[in-house]
Amino acid sequence: MLHYAFAIVILCNVASSTASTVPALLWSSEKSTSNLPEVKVHEAVSSEDFHSLFLEPFLKSKTESAVVFLQSKLHVDDFTKYADVYSVESDGGSFKHTKRLMEDNFSLEVPHVLDPNLAVEKLKSSYEGIVYTASCLQDVENLNLDDQKPFLLIIQLSPINKDDQESTISQNDESIGAIIDHLEKRNIKYSALFTGLSQGDDLKADADVHANRHLLETAVPSANGTFMNASNGQIYVYLREAYFCLMNSSDSKNCALNFTMLPTELTADKSTRDNNTATVVLDFPKAGDGSMYNLQVIFSVQNHPDRWVITSVALNLTSEHEKGFNSSLENATLSSGTMDFTLPFPYSFHCTDMVMYIDALHDKSVAAYKGSYVGLKGFQMQPFNLQGNYFFHPQDCVPYFTTPIWMFLFSSAFLLAILYFGVIMILNLSIMDRYDDPKGKTITVNQGAE
């Protein structure tokens, strides 16, 4: 009887080739994956934990060999593009052998793994049996593999061709299937790992690339901005420019105080973070005319298992000179209007032009400054779930229902109302219910004499 176990890890690099986060799929036809740790969808597994909790108990065995398939580039989008995932009767597309192995064995998914390449290197250095390397089925056939002595076999798959990724991925999937079939024919018990070393240069995230273009937009956003690494590398912030307008009750049409601020690498240095809360502080000392104002924008952030939320935004404004602002705004609440401040794991927050008004309706102490606002251009931040040296994919700050959407809904409702009443009126038309029959007796209506 053929005995084998198979585990495969499908990796996609989200941030960079040196610090990647990947989903992982583990399966086995002989040993159950129930003995592996339970993994939550929102949790990222470090390379150390992945090696000690998954690879060692699943790939290191005194009775089973281990096979590692290494591909130069692999991304989760590859499965969306080339695996025919939207077809109910799909055979897996370019990943048909991978799909077959997943369906034929006990399986477990690990959604996020940080830098799995380190875990593979640790497995290689700590493996007690013989280590072989190969690049194709022919190399494996030429190896003197002993089905009684466990070994570690590392397969270097063909590098991904940037101009024809689908073809290269399909060839590598065919190689995996052929090598697996060969090991089964030789009655070799084994566990296996399939991994990508990087996501590819064209899929790397960039702090300023996420300034989305909109309908009728002609200007290209400026690429000049500042990336800030705060709280010992726990918080990432990016900003191109900030501006401030202070209104007062005496002149509600013009800004009594108006200036623009450019960030530096130290602008977010006062930001802090612990396990589930973070405070992102944008500090602009000596801002405005004559460098006489100190301005701070403070974001309070709460982390949840499946999302993180910006719970509040506050403004602090003080003056260092007597000729400047004659009072102070401390913890003045800024209102975001309809902006979406709830972010799914592990996305970053991004806003091309974010304008927040002082919430004078709820704070009587700043009622005189109603209409004042702070603007942030090219703003992006991520205080939780960092996936390496780059921001994760952004979620823009647009509201769920934008003005064009409301226009479409109202216009559609108006037209549907006209159609509804038109149909009702047509259905209520009265028509004659008696007609002359040419072949029958003529209908005669007697009229009495007057």
Side-chain angles (χ1 to χ4, degrees):
M1 179 180 178
L2 175 64
H3 299 280
Y4 66 93
F6 191 92
I8 183 168
V9 180
I10 301 174
L11 303 181
C12 69
N13 191 320
V14 177
S16 67
S17 59
T18 58
S20 58
T21 177
V22 300
L25 295 176
L26 300 165
W27 70 76
S28 169
S29 63
E30 289 273 330
K31 54 185 177 183
S32 174
T33 56
S34 60
N35 59 334
L36 298 179
E38 181 182 357
V39 180
K40 297 181 179 179
V41 175
H42 61 277
E43 291 182 348
V45 180
S46 65
S47 59
E48 292 81 4
D49 291 340
F50 185 61
H51 172 262
S52 60
L53 301 179
F54 293 91
L55 295 190
E56 280 199 336
F58 208 76
L59 297 184
K60 293 184 68 174
S61 173
K62 295 182 179 180
T63 59
E64 293 180 349
S65 298
V67 184
V68 177
F69 295 97
L70 296 177
Q71 183 169 285
S72 59
K73 298 176 182 178
L74 190 63
H75 193 272
V76 68
D77 290 345
D78 294 338
F79 299 95
T80 305
K81 294 178 181 178
Y82 310 127
D84 194 19
V85 295
Y86 297 108
S87 176
V88 177
E89 300 179 354
S90 170
D91 64 348
S94 297
F95 293 95
K96 59 182 178 181
H97 294 287
T98 301
K99 181 177 184 291
R100 171 175 61 86
L101 291 168
M102 291 173 56
E103 293 178 345
D104 293 345
N105 300 279
F106 298 103
S107 61
L108 172 68
E109 180 178 356
V110 184
H112 301 278
V113 181
L114 293 169
D115 207 351
N117 191 33
L118 290 179
V120 174
E121 291 297 326
K122 288 183 180 180
L123 175 68
K124 180 179 177 180
S125 60
S126 62
Y127 197 82
E128 298 177 356
I130 303 175
V131 179
Y132 298 99
T133 58
S135 59
C136 61
L137 175 61
Q138 184 177 0
D139 293 342
V140 177
E141 292 175 341
N142 295 332
L143 294 175
N144 184 21
L145 302 178
D146 190 344
D147 57 357
Q148 301 299 323
K149 295 181 180 180
F151 57 84
L152 172 61
L153 176 60
I154 299 178
I155 309 295
Q156 297 282 350
L157 298 173
S158 300
I160 296 298
N161 184 356
K162 185 177 181 181
D163 298 327
D164 192 5
Q165 294 186 16
E166 184 176 6
S167 177
T168 313
I169 290 174
S170 181
Q171 293 175 10
N172 288 340
D173 185 70
E174 293 287 344
S175 297
I176 293 174
I179 293 172
I180 288 170
D181 292 339
H182 174 74
L183 295 177
E184 292 177 355
K185 291 178 181 178
R186 298 179 65 166
N187 200 27
I188 294 176
K189 298 189 298 181
Y190 62 89
S191 301
L193 165 69
F194 171 41
T195 177
L197 299 180
S198 72
Q199 68 173 358
D201 297 335
D202 56 328
L203 293 172
K204 287 184 179 180
D206 184 80
D208 195 50
V209 170
H210 309 309
N212 292 350
R213 296 182 60 80
H214 301 281
L215 186 64
L216 303 180
E217 182 181 14
T218 57
V220 178
S222 172
N224 297 325
T226 303
F227 174 78
M228 291 155 271
N229 189 334
S231 188
N232 297 322
Q234 299 182 97
I235 300 175
Y236 288 171
V237 180
Y238 181 86
L239 182 64
R240 288 201 304 270
E241 176 183 292
Y243 53 94
F244 174 68
C245 171
L246 180 68
M247 310 288 288
N248 56 40
S249 57
S250 60
D251 187 359
S252 58
K253 296 183 179 180
N254 300 315
C255 299
L257 183 62
N258 186 14
F259 51 83
T260 301
M261 301 157 287
L262 296 177
T264 68
E265 294 182 355
L266 304 178
T267 297
D269 271 11
K270 294 183 179 181
S271 303
T272 59
R273 197 199 88 173
D274 57 21
N275 292 332
N276 294 315
T277 60
T279 303
V280 180
V281 181
L282 301 180
D283 186 28
F284 300 97
K286 300 185 182 302
D289 297 336
S291 300
M292 63 177 62
Y293 300 100
N294 298 321
L295 186 143
Q296 286 184 338
V297 181
I298 305 170
F299 294 86
S300 299
V301 187
Q302 184 73 36
N303 190 30
H304 299 278
D306 58 344
R307 67 193 184 280
W308 60 276
V309 183
I310 301 175
T311 56
S312 64
V313 187
L315 169 69
N316 289 338
L317 177 66
T318 59
S319 174
E320 294 185 351
H321 300 275
E322 295 180 357
K323 296 182 180 180
F325 185 53
N326 57 7
S327 62
S328 63
L329 291 174
E330 296 183 359
N331 293 322
T333 304
L334 293 175
S335 175
S336 61
T338 58
M339 290 184 185
D340 188 2
F341 276 0
T342 300
L343 288 301
F345 174 91
Y347 284 72
S348 62
F349 174 81
H350 173 264
C351 212
T352 303
D353 193 357
M354 180 179 181
V355 180
M356 297 172 292
Y357 291 86
I358 291 182
D359 194 356
L361 299 177
H362 297 85
D363 192 345
K364 296 181 180 180
S365 63
V366 296
Y369 308 109
K370 180 181 179 180
S372 302
Y373 59 86
V374 176
L376 303 175
K377 290 186 177 181
F379 177 62
Q380 188 170 3
M381 74 170 179
Q382 187 169 3
F384 300 105
N385 313 316
L386 298 178
Q387 306 296 324
N389 299 327
Y390 296 85
F391 289 102
F392 195 77
H393 302 312
Q395 175 171 300
D396 284 340
C397 59
V398 294
Y400 188 77
F401 284 101
T402 60
T403 301
I405 292 177
W406 281 116
M407 292 174 61
F408 168 78
L409 293 176
F410 279 114
S411 301
S412 300
F414 180 71
L415 294 176
L416 288 174
I418 294 177
L419 177 63
Y420 173 78
F421 286 108
V423 172
I424 293 297
M425 287 187 287
I426 291 175
L427 293 176
N428 287 322
L429 288 176
S430 298
I431 60 176
M432 292 180 61
D433 58 355
R434 290 190 178 187
Y435 297 91
D436 287 341
D437 186 356
K439 296 182 180 180
K441 185 178 179 180
T442 304
I443 299 175
T444 303
V445 179
N446 296 322
Q447 296 182 352
E450 295 182 359

